[in-house]
Amino acid sequence: MTRSRKNAKSCDEPSVARGSSSATSSGNFDHEIAQLTKLRSGPNEYMSKMLGRKSKDLISPVKMLAARESNCLRKSKFSTADGCHMLNRYLPVNGPYLVDQMESCAYVSQFSSDGSLLVAGYQGSHIRIYNVERGWKVQKDIVARSLRWTITDTSLSPDKRYLVYSSMSPIVHIVDLGSSVVESLANVTEIHEGLDLSIANGEDDYNNFSIFAVKFSADGREVLAASSDNSIYVYDLPTNKRTLRILAHEEDVNTVCFADESGHLIYSGGDDSLCKVWDRRCLASRCQPAGTLMGHLEGITFIDSRGDGRYLISNGKDQTIKLWDIRKMSSSSACVTSPRNYDWDYRWMEYPAAFKDMKHPNDQSLATYKGHTVLSTLIRCHFSPEYSTGQKYIYTGSNDGAVYTYDLVSGALVSKLSHHKTTVRDCSWHPYLPIMISSSWDGMIIRCEFPGDEENPPPLKRRCHRRY
């Protein structure tokens, strides 16, 4: 969607994921997050000893259940980590099952925080909200207002009462989902209020730009946005005005998110290939980032926070996902961008094969994951759910029509779901159930799950794809 520079010709078939230079040759890395992940997603040491677990072997769920029932574990229920250890072997890989299909590209697919709703945004102005608990029935069909090119992003408020959506425009629209209206046609059957980010304190900045990402704050009072004018915006809903603009990057800001529920820290990523950390408590005294993370060779398409205010992952146009610890960030004055001496545009060109193994000379990332392709659009990546997996995995869409899942610690490719004919821009893992949703430019919203509720899923009707 946004423009990243530089290219050459074609790219070889990507290899299976591996760790970055900070990892050992086996792909493992010795870092605090590796230990935290193991504590969250594996059985405790006492259980391992009781059941005679050998190194790196999975404990049988039958043995775990038998030990609990016989009171060998000296407790009446499993810990959260025990539960994750059992659930981690049941990945959402069965299917595919068609949720919906439209004639336009599907750009966004995200579960609500409780998993009861699925939001999908399409290029052809539709945003559909599906009720997961009622057989994926369309609960609300929103026809966007003042659409420019496509729906770029959507975000549900924490209470699921409101939805904001963005387009290639400085105006973000908000819809009240509490009404009984199913067919929500902008300003005909329902009001879609416009939040104009180009206006501050009643004065127009006279700046026409695009919004690429929007996020509700944890308390639902603010909307955070990333834009093509190199800026981050914050809009305050109770006062109905823009309260913050940060000139954040040297090029388009493609992605932005809150680091945790406090809302103090913000992560951003742009086409200048940098991830930046912003502390809102310090912005009044100096409008500078708290720190910068270097390592990507090309623009950053998406950032996902682990939710702890410390770790994040980023998807890059250099065909990699990187894992970061903000304690390793540098000051902006010490930041060094990787030199570009080739002409390449990711929207219609393959990534140069000669550059796929290049490394940033000052790479600060903890690990690098390869295998998927980040081309044509701002493809998204995410941490797997905490409840069912202990955030043991990261997963991403890909230009080759697949969803890739990597083991966070080892970097191994755990699964590859190849059910689309073309670009998967977004994907979402249910926060509690083994269900994975993917949205593709073939217009389909597809779900995979474990164990699967259909013995013989109906054939998917595919349409001819037109490249946008």
Side-chain angles (χ1 to χ4, degrees):
M1 181 168 303
T2 57
R3 184 168 52 86
S4 176
R5 305 170 299 184
K6 331 307 182 203
N7 178 352
K9 286 232 173 176
S10 63
C11 145
D12 296 338
E13 184 69 19
S15 59
V16 173
R18 61 179 182 274
S20 70
S21 58
S22 62
T24 65
S25 58
S26 64
N28 298 314
F29 57 93
D30 183 17
H31 192 272
E32 182 181 334
I33 191 172
Q35 304 306 317
L36 290 173
T37 302
K38 290 175 182 177
L39 289 173
R40 277 187 176 188
S41 60
N44 59 53
E45 195 171 318
Y46 178 75
M47 177 179 283
S48 299
K49 289 180 179 178
M50 285 293 297
L51 300 180
R53 176 178 181 254
K54 295 180 180 179
S55 177
K56 298 185 179 181
D57 288 343
L58 289 171
I59 297 177
S60 163
V62 175
K63 287 185 178 181
M64 292 176 69
L65 289 167
R68 186 188 67 176
E69 294 303 315
S70 62
N71 201 30
C72 288
L73 305 178
R74 300 176 186 173
K75 56 183 180 179
S76 60
K77 61 181 181 179
F78 291 131
S79 67
T80 302
D82 292 337
C84 287
H85 178 75
M86 296 183 70
L87 292 172
N88 272 331
R89 71 195 69 211
Y90 305 120
L91 298 180
V93 295
N94 293 350
Y97 309 111
L98 184 64
V99 174
D100 203 355
Q101 182 173 11
M102 299 197 74
E103 289 301 313
S104 63
C105 302
Y107 269 71
V108 180
S109 55
Q110 286 297 302
F111 282 109
S112 60
S113 58
D114 65 357
S116 63
L117 301 177
L118 173 71
V119 179
Y122 299 85
Q123 187 177 35
S125 79
H126 280 270
I127 303 168
R128 287 184 170 175
I129 299 177
Y130 306 89
N131 192 314
V132 177
E133 298 169 350
R134 295 185 179 179
W136 307 90
K137 180 181 178 182
V138 176
Q139 181 168 303
K140 204 172 191 72
D141 191 357
I142 300 167
V143 180
R145 175 186 177 190
S146 305
L147 183 73
R148 291 187 184 177
W149 182 248
T150 183
I151 300 292
T152 55
D153 201 8
T154 64
S155 181
L156 269 175
S157 62
D159 61 3
K160 300 182 295 183
R161 177 66 188 273
Y162 297 98
L163 179 134
V164 291
Y165 63 86
S166 61
S167 179
M168 307 290 276
S169 160
I171 300 176
V172 173
H173 291 93
I174 185 167
V175 184
D176 186 346
L177 303 182
S179 71
S180 59
V181 176
V182 176
E183 300 290 335
S184 179
L185 181 60
N187 296 348
V188 176
T189 62
E190 207 165 34
I191 297 297
H192 294 190
E193 183 181 354
L195 314 178
D196 194 343
L197 298 180
S198 66
I199 296 178
N201 300 319
E203 298 182 1
D204 196 331
D205 285 350
Y206 299 103
N207 192 5
N208 190 14
F209 51 87
S210 302
I211 299 297
F212 297 130
V214 288
K215 293 286 186 298
F216 263 106
S217 60
D219 60 8
R221 296 173 61 88
E222 294 180 318
V223 174
L224 178 66
S227 74
S228 65
D229 68 344
N230 310 349
S231 300
I232 298 170
Y233 291 92
V234 175
Y235 196 96
D236 186 79
L237 295 174
T239 60
N240 198 30
K241 66 179 182 181
R242 190 188 88 189
T243 55
L244 180 65
R245 181 196 177 195
I246 305 171
L247 188 58
H249 290 261
E250 296 296 322
E251 298 183 48
D252 293 357
V253 183
N254 296 326
T255 177
V256 68
C257 68
F258 290 103
D260 54 25
E261 293 186 352
S262 72
H264 296 314
L265 292 180
I266 294 172
Y267 301 146
S268 66
D271 272 341
D272 56 6
S273 78
L274 300 174
C275 292
K276 294 188 177 183
V277 182
W278 305 88
D279 191 336
R280 298 173 66 186
R281 295 165 293 189
C282 305
L283 287 175
S285 58
R286 61 183 192 96
C287 196
Q288 294 292 326
T292 302
L293 294 163
M294 299 171 285
H296 279 293
L297 298 172
E298 292 293 339
I300 295 164
T301 64
F302 196 74
I303 284 175
D304 189 38
S305 171
R306 193 168 179 260
D308 54 11
R310 182 174 296 174
Y311 300 104
L312 63 147
I313 55 173
S314 59
N315 223 355
K317 297 174 186 177
D318 56 4
Q319 315 305 300
T320 68
I321 294 174
K322 287 186 176 289
L323 172 67
W324 310 91
D325 180 346
I326 67 171
R327 293 173 296 182
K328 292 181 174 290
M329 62 189 180
S330 302
S331 65
S332 57
S333 60
C335 174
V336 177
T337 57
S338 180
R340 292 164 167 158
N341 55 8
Y342 53 97
D343 187 20
W344 175 66
D345 193 316
Y346 88 119
R347 292 173 297 178
W348 48 72
M349 304 172 79
E350 298 291 335
Y351 191 65
F355 301 116
K356 68 176 184 177
D357 291 324
M358 286 182 63
K359 294 180 180 179
H360 194 288
N362 303 105
D363 191 353
Q364 297 168 304
S365 64
L366 301 180
T368 302
Y369 309 85
K370 296 182 179 181
H372 61 293
T373 51
V374 184
L375 299 169
S376 301
T377 186
L378 302 178
I379 291 173
R380 303 180 165 200
C381 63
H382 306 276
F383 283 98
S384 63
E386 181 178 355
Y387 175 83
S388 59
T389 72
Q391 295 181 308
K392 182 180 179 179
Y393 308 109
I394 58 175
Y395 61 102
T396 178
S398 178
N399 186 62
D400 62 4
V403 176
Y404 289 72
T405 301
Y406 302 107
D407 186 286
L408 178 71
V409 177
S410 71
L413 180 61
V414 176
S415 71
K416 178 182 177 182
L417 306 177
S418 303
H419 301 312
H420 294 277
K421 288 295 187 182
T422 187
T423 307
V424 176
R425 185 178 187 267
D426 201 4
C427 44
S428 186
W429 196 319
H430 193 283
Y432 302 109
L433 303 175
I435 299 174
M436 178 88 76
I437 293 291
S438 57
S439 51
S440 170
W441 278 11
D442 59 14
M444 292 190 291
I445 304 294
I446 284 177
R447 88 177 189 273
C448 292
E449 58 186 48
F450 187 93
D453 60 4
E454 300 175 47
E455 291 185 5
N456 298 300
L460 302 177
K461 296 180 179 179
R462 305 189 186 275
R463 64 182 178 87
C464 295
H465 172 65
R466 196 175 95 213
R467 195 176 183 87
Y468 292 89

